[in-house]
Amino acid sequence: AGTRLAGTGRRMRKDRGAAVVEGLAGQHRVVSLMTAEAVTELNLKVGDEVVCAVKATSVVVEVPSRAYSQTT
């Protein structure tokens, strides 16, 4: 389902209900917002091997004027 990127768990911040999990897959930084319960159940730790699954429901937001000015 979607694109799967193998990488390493780089950073995890968890509170009572939500968690932000950052993975590094090659040169790609992938960030996921998930439940704190899911992080606990998966026993995720920084440095663990992870697979980041990217589905079509994800949205990337860009600011075109900034994107173009960085390439010129």
Side-chain angles (χ1 to χ4, degrees), residues 13-15 17-21 32-39 42 44:
R13 288 177 292 166
K14 183 169 74 163
D15 63 24
V20 177
V21 178
S32 177
L33 177 62
M34 58 193 340
T35 64
E37 181 181 15
V39 172
L42 291 169
L44 282 175

Side-chain angles (χ1 to χ4, degrees), residues 28-46:
H28 304 286
R29 179 177 161 258
V30 182
V31 179
S32 177
L33 177 62
M34 58 193 340
T35 64
E37 181 181 15
V39 172
T40 300
E41 287 180 3
L42 291 169
N43 196 29
L44 282 175
K45 304 276 187 275
V46 172

Side-chain angles (χ1 to χ4, degrees), residues 17-69:
V20 177
V21 178
E22 179 182 320
L24 189 61
Q27 63 182 11
H28 304 286
R29 179 177 161 258
V30 182
V31 179
S32 177
L33 177 62
M34 58 193 340
T35 64
E37 181 181 15
V39 172
T40 300
E41 287 180 3
L42 291 169
N43 196 29
L44 282 175
K45 304 276 187 275
V46 172
D48 283 352
E49 244 180 80
V50 296
V51 175
C52 304
V54 181
K55 294 191 171 199
T57 56
S58 298
V59 176
V60 175
V61 177
E62 295 182 11
V63 179
S65 61
R66 292 183 194 158
Y68 293 126
S69 66

